[in-house]
């Protein structure tokens, strides 16, 4: 049965109204009472002053900010109104402005909005409130950012986490892992191994300030920081690979395409050459860690390995670390926290991060395939173990589910690629309450990252290959084997939903396998990946 819409209009105040302009509707009641009413509301009607010379008033601004704070969509009646920072903020994404002569149409206009449009407007309104109007600091920073944008000065670079290196001895020759898949005579990388090189940084400082300021002002995290790179940077057309762009493209077969050896010798894709950094979190499991590091020996396109040493106890002095052909940086942390996995360490010099547990067991071909897929979906989490959020009907709440499913909404960051941009957002922009809960439970950091990326992009993650588990056979038991682990993850999901105000995770029935995986090929052709 359809519930008819309810409209509340009050013409009298229970207490003395606030002083207002002669042609303005006065504010009634206490702020707390108004907010409680707005929490139950989908829309909030804001009538501008009758004097056409007034573009806005304090009463209108108060009503606007209170509506945004609790997620009600402001409906501003009055075409002469000028909302705050309207030369920067696209208010049409968060509020409806209706001329007063069309007041008789308001009910019809509001009912014509779809649920998806309402969600988008409420999300955008909440973003505007939290980012620009919620505190004295945010208001002051907004004024400074407005002045800086108008005189075309880029924002200050966002800070990076200084890595305190733990000295260690290396020199142990890494062997060949017998568990690696047999690739036959097919290489997984270029014929000539390239030395480690960093991703270019801060190439768009001026353009982000001048040509892209609408996007930076109207999407998270706002215009307050300059990032070295983002997953949303524009892509050059295909001609750039062949007409001398000089940005380091590596087209497959020199542009002629190909399979097998031609494919493996170049990254191809739509973006220039690049490498990735492995970030491995560990806690007092030296033997497991050494075995995992040895398995990375000879991995193509690996820039370096950053080992996040989460234990207050330093590694054994006589521990000999493997030589895997690229630098291994062991970083000391201030405290044992799973949030350390996502700190934007200054030693991470690539856009691509492969976050991997110290007991994860992935083959080189799986890692290479995941990297190639991530390069085509840089704004997504791309990884191997999939999970999903289920609805608990009896308790009317969310559940974390790790069962095999044809649908998923999360990819665990114990084996996943993501852009370093999200490490900055996780550590410095995401609400502190989420990181506090991760520390309290020593759990849920991977769920928090999935929430963050889905909230920013409104896209689900991408699962690659048929792999559903990735644990090292014979390794010691991990935290995730404890029953309390799953109960805590149920609580985390429901708490994160309260923080965001809605469920950001999105379902997908999509999985990526290699092109030509099950295609019958002529005898003179080779598949891109034999086992993926």
């Amino acid at each position: 049965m359809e519930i008819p819409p309810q409209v509340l209009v009050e013409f009298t105040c229970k207490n003395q109204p606030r002083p207002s302009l002669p042609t303005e509707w006065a504010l009634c009641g206490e702020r707390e009472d108004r907010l409680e009413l707005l929490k139950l509301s989908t829309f909030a009607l804001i009538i501008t002053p009758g004097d056409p010379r007034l573009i806005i008033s304090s009463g209108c601004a108060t009503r606007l900010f209170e509506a945004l704070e609790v997620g009600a969509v402001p409906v501003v009646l009055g075409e002469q109104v000028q909302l705050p920072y309207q030369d920067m903020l696209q208010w049409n994404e968060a509020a409806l402005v209706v001329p007063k002569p069309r007041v008789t149409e308001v009910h019809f206009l509001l009912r014509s909005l779809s649920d998806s449009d309402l969600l988008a407007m409420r999300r955008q309104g909440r973003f505007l409130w939290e980012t620009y109007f919620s505190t004295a600091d945010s208001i002051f920073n907004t004024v400074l950012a407005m002045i800086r944008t108008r005189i075309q000065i880029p924002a200050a670079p966002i800070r990076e986490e200084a890595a305190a290196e733990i000295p260690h001895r290396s020199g142990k020759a890494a062997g060949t892992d017998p568990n690696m898949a047999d690739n036959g005579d097919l290489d997984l990388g270029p014929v000539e191994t390239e030395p480690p090189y960093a991703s270019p940084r801060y190439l768009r400082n001026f353009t982000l300030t001048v040509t892209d300021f609408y996007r930076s002002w109207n999407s998270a995290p706002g215009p307050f920081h300059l990032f070295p790179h983002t997953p949303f940077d524009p892509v050059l057309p295909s001609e750039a690979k062949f007409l001398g762009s000089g940005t380091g493209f590596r087209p497959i077969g020199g542009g002629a395409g190909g399979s097998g050896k031609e494919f493996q010798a170049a990254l191809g894709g739509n973006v220039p050459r690049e490498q990735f950094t492995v970030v491995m979190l560990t806690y007092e499991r030296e033997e497991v860690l050494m075995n995992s590091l040895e398995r990375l020996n000879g991995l193509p396109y690996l820039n370096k390995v950053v080992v996040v040493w989460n234990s207050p106890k330093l590694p054994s002095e006589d521990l000999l670390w493997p030589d895997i052909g690229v630098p291994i940086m062991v970083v000391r942390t201030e405290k044992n926290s799973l949030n350390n996995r996502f700190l934007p360490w200054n030693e991470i010099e690539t856009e691509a991060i492969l976050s991997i547990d110290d007991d994860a067991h992935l083959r080189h071909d799986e890692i290479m395939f995941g990297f190639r897929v991530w390069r085509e979906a840089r704004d997504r989490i791309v990884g191997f173990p999939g999970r999903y959020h289920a609805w608990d009907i009896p308790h009317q709440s969310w559940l974390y589910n790790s069962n095999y499913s044809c649908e998923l909404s999360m990819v665990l960051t114990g084996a996943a690629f993501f852009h370093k941009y999200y490490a900055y957002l996780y550590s410095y922009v995401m609400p502190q309450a989420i990181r506090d809960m991760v520390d309290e439970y020593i759990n849920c950091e991977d769920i928090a990252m999935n929430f963050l990326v889905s909230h920013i992009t409104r896209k689900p993650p991408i699962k690659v290959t048929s792999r559903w588990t990735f644990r090292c056979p014979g390794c010691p038991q991990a935290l995730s084997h404890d029953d309390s682990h799953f109960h805590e993850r149920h609580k985390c999901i429901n708490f994160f939903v309260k923080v965001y105000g809605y469920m950001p995770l999105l379902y997908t029935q999509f999985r990526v396998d290699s092109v030509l995986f099950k295609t019958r090929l002529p005898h003179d052709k080779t598949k891109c990946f034999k086992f993926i």
Side-chain angles (χ1 to χ4, degrees), residues 11 17 85 112 132 145 170 258 269 272 356 360 380 394 397 411 442 481:
F11 293 101
Y85 311 120
S112 69
Y132 303 115
S170 62
I356 191 168
R380 317 270 281 274
S397 62
V411 164
I442 317 179
H481 290 275

Side-chain angles (χ1 to χ4, degrees), residues 51-68:
D51 189 343
R53 296 171 299 175
L54 293 176
I55 56 176
I56 199 168
S57 65
S58 61
C60 285
T62 300
R63 287 188 172 92
L64 174 68
F65 296 149
E66 288 179 351
L68 296 176

Side-chain angles (χ1 to χ4, degrees), residues 319-524:
L319 184 63
L320 196 60
W321 294 68
D323 183 0
I324 61 174
V326 298
I328 297 177
M329 168 71 68
V330 186
V331 177
R332 186 172 188 173
T333 58
E334 295 181 357
K335 64 176 182 178
N336 176 22
S337 170
L338 293 180
N339 291 315
N340 294 334
R341 179 195 297 274
F342 301 129
L343 282 172
W345 302 104
N346 59 353
E347 288 295 330
I348 301 174
E349 299 177 308
T350 61
E351 296 183 52
I353 294 175
L354 172 58
S355 172
I356 191 168
D357 285 344
D358 59 2
D359 59 353
H361 195 265
L362 292 173
R363 304 193 311 261
H364 283 194
D365 60 339
E366 293 175 316
I367 294 175
M368 285 310 307
F369 179 62
F371 179 50
R372 288 176 180 268
V373 172
W374 175 86
R375 280 169 45 82
E376 299 183 21
R378 308 171 75 83
D379 60 339
R380 317 270 281 274
I381 297 176
V382 175
F384 301 88
R387 301 291 186 265
Y388 70 99
H389 63 295
W391 182 246
D392 183 2
I393 298 176
H395 298 93
Q396 294 292 288
S397 62
W398 294 106
L399 294 174
Y400 171 83
N401 201 309
S402 62
N403 296 331
Y404 292 95
S405 172
C406 293
E407 206 170 47
L408 60 93
S409 58
M410 292 176 278
V411 164
L412 301 188
T413 53
F417 285 92
F418 64 90
H419 199 285
K420 188 181 178 182
Y421 174 77
Y422 295 120
Y424 295 112
L425 299 192
Y426 184 99
S427 302
Y428 306 140
V429 178
M430 187 180 71
Q432 180 64 40
I434 294 179
R435 293 189 293 273
D436 290 342
M437 190 168 200
V438 169
D439 284 337
E440 178 183 352
Y441 284 165
I442 317 179
N443 199 343
C444 305
E445 85 287 356
D446 47 0
I447 300 176
M449 179 58 87
N450 276 271
F451 265 67
L452 172 66
V453 176
S454 292
H455 173 67
I456 296 294
T457 64
R458 300 307 298 135
K459 297 177 183 177
I462 295 178
K463 174 174 167 50
V464 292
T465 81
S466 59
R467 174 91 71 129
W468 201 261
T469 182
F470 58 96
R471 291 298 177 189
C472 168
C475 288
Q477 291 278 307
L479 290 172
S480 58
H481 290 275
D482 189 353
D483 287 342
S484 63
H485 172 82
F486 290 94
H487 295 297
E488 291 170 352
R489 290 170 89 77
H490 301 329
K491 294 179 182 177
C492 285
I493 285 184
N494 288 285
F495 177 75
F496 296 166
V497 168
K498 289 183 179 179
V499 173
Y500 281 98
Y502 76 113
M503 168 53 80
L505 297 179
L506 295 170
Y507 295 109
T508 180
Q509 301 171 12
F510 174 76
R511 189 188 82 195
V512 178
D513 291 319
S514 174
V515 175
L516 305 182
F517 174 46
K518 289 191 175 182
T519 305
R520 294 184 180 182
L521 298 182
H523 65 86
D524 60 336

Side-chain angles (χ1 to χ4, degrees), residues 55-183:
I55 56 176
I56 199 168
S57 65
S58 61
C60 285
T62 300
R63 287 188 172 92
L64 174 68
F65 296 149
E66 288 179 351
L68 296 176
E69 181 178 356
V70 298
V73 177
V75 180
V76 183
L77 202 59
E79 65 277 11
Q80 86 280 7
V81 68
Q82 290 189 17
L83 300 179
Y85 311 120
Q86 71 173 26
D87 54 340
M88 297 293 178
L89 302 181
Q90 295 177 319
W91 281 101
N92 59 308
E93 296 180 356
L96 294 173
V97 179
V98 182
K100 288 183 178 180
R102 300 186 65 184
V103 63
T104 56
E105 303 175 47
V106 167
H107 185 260
F108 169 78
L109 294 175
L110 300 187
R111 297 204 63 180
S112 69
L113 293 176
S114 67
D115 290 343
S116 57
D117 288 329
L118 283 175
L119 171 63
M121 296 184 76
R122 297 177 86 162
R123 286 181 66 248
Q124 186 66 10
R126 181 69 187 181
F127 160 72
L128 296 179
W129 160 255
E130 290 181 342
T131 308
Y132 303 115
F133 308 114
S134 58
T135 65
D137 284 344
S138 63
I139 294 172
F140 180 70
N141 290 333
T142 300
V143 172
L144 294 181
M146 174 67 69
I147 298 172
R148 176 179 46 74
T149 302
R150 285 176 174 167
I151 60 178
Q152 300 181 350
I153 297 178
I158 194 165
R159 70 183 179 94
E160 297 193 282
E161 203 70 23
E165 184 178 6
I166 299 177
H168 61 280
R169 291 191 303 142
S170 62
K172 177 183 176 184
T176 302
D177 189 347
N179 294 311
M180 291 297 173
D182 178 19
N183 293 303

